[in-house]
Amino acid sequence: MKRGYSLAQIGLHWLVALMVPVQYLTGGSIERTHHAVHMGMTPSYWDIVQHHLHNYAGMAIGLLMGVRLVLRILQPPDASAPGTWSERAATALHHAFYAAVIAQACMGFAASYFWLGIAPYHVVGSRIILGMVALHLAAAAWHTLVARDETVDRIVFPRRKRSAQEL
C-alpha cells in the first residue's frame, strides 16, 4: 500500500471539502447584496448573513489550503515519483487544486476589500474549481468502484508508521 496522508492532512482535506459547497451555496448573495445597495435599497438580512459567511469561509479556506500546502511540502504523500500518465495527471490536478483554491481565496479577498474589478475573474475561478472537483470526484469513484484499489483509503485512513520490515 502506498503511504497515505497524516491525520492533520486528512482532517484539513475533509474540512475544506465540507466548506467548499458553502461557497457555492452562498455565492449568489454577493451579487444580490451589491445590486440592492446599487439600487438604493436595503439588502435582505439573509443575504447579508450569507455574504459574510461567504467572505469569512473563503478566507478560512485560503488559510487552511495554505496550511495544507505547507504540510504537503513537509510530509509528501508518496516516496515515489508518479510513473503512469494517470499518476502524473493526478499529481497535476492536486497541484492545480492548491494553486486554484489559494488564488481563488486571494481574489475573493481582493474583490471584497480592495478592488471589485477582480470579481469576474473570481467567478471564472469558481467554475474552474467546480470542474476540478467534478474530475476529482470522478477519479475517486473510479478508484473505488472500478479499479478497487487503495487510493481513496489514503485520504480516509491516516498513514501508518513504517515497520522495520518495510524499511
Side-chain angles (χ1 to χ4, degrees), residues 69-98:
L69 180 59
V70 169
L71 285 176
R72 186 173 179 113
I73 291 167
L74 295 176
Q75 303 171 353
D78 293 320
S80 63
T84 66
W85 72 268
S86 63
E87 289 173 339
R88 287 192 301 272
T91 299
L93 181 63
H94 283 98
H95 291 162
F97 261 124
Y98 286 99

Side-chain angles (χ1 to χ4, degrees), residues 1 6 18 24 27 36 39 62 81 96 107 111 122 124 133 142 145 148:
M1 178 172 158
S6 70
L18 290 172
Y24 286 94
M39 299 302 289
M107 285 190 292
H122 184 69
V124 170
V133 167
W142 185 85
L145 302 172
R148 294 183 184 266

Side-chain angles (χ1 to χ4, degrees), residues 91-126:
T91 299
L93 181 63
H94 283 98
H95 291 162
F97 261 124
Y98 286 99
V101 173
I102 291 170
Q104 183 72 348
C106 291
M107 285 190 292
F109 184 81
S112 292
Y113 297 102
F114 300 111
W115 179 49
L116 192 58
I118 201 167
Y121 299 103
H122 184 69
V123 172
V124 170
S126 71

Side-chain angles (χ1 to χ4, degrees), residues 138-153:
W142 185 85
H143 279 287
T144 302
L145 302 172
V146 177
R148 294 183 184 266
D149 59 23
E150 297 173 332
T151 299
V152 175
D153 290 352

